Amino acid sequence: METALTRDAGIRVPVICGAMYPCSNPELVAAASRAGGIGILQPVTLTFVHGLDFREGVRRIKTLTDEPIGMNALIEQSSRIYRRRMEEWLEIALEEGIRFFVTSLGKPDWVARLVHPHGGVVYHDVTERKWAQKGIDCGADGLIAVNRRAGGHPGPRSAEVLLDELGDLGVPVVCAGGIGGPESFRQVMNLGYAGVQMGTRFIATHECDASAAYKTAIVQAEPEDVVHTERITGVPVAVLNTPHVQRTGVRAGPLARLMLRGRRTKHWMRTIYAVRSAWKLRGSARSSGNPRDYWQAGKSVSEIHEIVSVQEVVDSLAATSPQDTSEVT
C-alpha cells in the first residue's frame, strides 16, 4: 500500500502514531515504527513526563527499533525560552537521524528551514484551508488534516469536507480523527487520503504506559461519551465525559475567555494554560481513577473494543485493501 506518506516517511503502512502528551512513551513510539507505521515522539513527554535528557530519550527509542521515527514540534508563538529549547531539540533530532517532523499550532517556516537541508520532511497539522495554504507557503511538504472526530484539539469539519478543501493544494494529505480500526481506515483511504494519523487507538494498547483505568475507559466508551472542554488549554480539547468533567463544566472561565480574545493577552493566557495542563494531564494519564482526571480521547472509540498490541493494530490496517488505490496520492 504505497502512498506519498509511506515514501516521505520511509515506512510500509501509511499510519502515523500521533504525538500525544503525556502518552507518547518511548516504548509506544518505537512499537509503532517497528510495526510498520511511524511513531512520533513528543519532546515534552520525553523530558518532562519521563525525565529523560532529550538526546538520551531519542537514543533509547532507537535502541528499540531500527525503523524511522518522527518528532512533533509545537511551534506556537510563545516564550523565547521555549522557542530556543525547541530549536535545540530539532537540531539534536537531526543529529540523531530523525527526518520526519510533524508541526502544529504555528508557522512551520523556521522548522522547514532547519530540516530541509538535511533531507527532512515537514507535515503540518491543519483544520481548514487557510491554515493549510499558509503552512505550504512556509515550506510544509504535507498536511495532517485534523477533523471534528479527532482527539486532542479537533477541527470543525468532517473528513470528507476537509479533503475537498485541501485536496487540490498539491501536497499529500493525511486524515487525523475518527480512525479506530480497519473499517474507518478503508473509508478514508478510499476518499483519497495518503494515510492516517491515530492517537486514541494507540492509547488502548499494551505498549502505552497510560493507566489501566484510562485504557478501560476508552474501550468502554461510545462516541457520545466524548465531549470538548476548554478548561485544559483554553481551546476545545476532546476528552471522555468523566464525573469530574460533568461537575466542572466545559467552558473556560470569563476572565480566561476575555484574555484569550485579546491580541496581546492570548499568548500569556495560553502559556498559563500550558503550564497548568502539563501538570494536570501528566497525572491524569497514569491515575487509576482520580476524581479530577481528564482523559483525552476522540470519537474513534466507536471501533475500539479491546486492549491489544501495537503490532496487532498496524497489522489490521495493513491487511485492509482500499477498493480503489488509484485515488490514493
Side-chain angles (χ1 to χ4, degrees), residues 158-177:
S158 69
E160 294 82 359
V161 169
L162 200 45
L163 186 60
D164 285 343
E165 282 192 15
L166 310 180
D168 65 345
L169 292 176
V171 298
V173 183
V174 173
C175 182

Side-chain angles (χ1 to χ4, degrees), residues 223-229 236-242 245 250 297 299:
E224 56 268 26
D225 297 321
V226 176
V227 296
H228 296 160
T229 179
V237 175
V239 298
L240 296 178
N241 194 18
T242 62
V245 173
V250 296
K299 292 185 181 293

Side-chain angles (χ1 to χ4, degrees), residues 27 53 58 103 139-140 158 177 194 196 201 207 215 238 254 267 305 316:
E27 295 77 13
D53 170 79
V58 172
T103 55
S158 69
V196 301
R201 171 65 275 190
E207 291 85 353
K215 296 178 186 182
H267 295 303
H305 307 300
S316 71

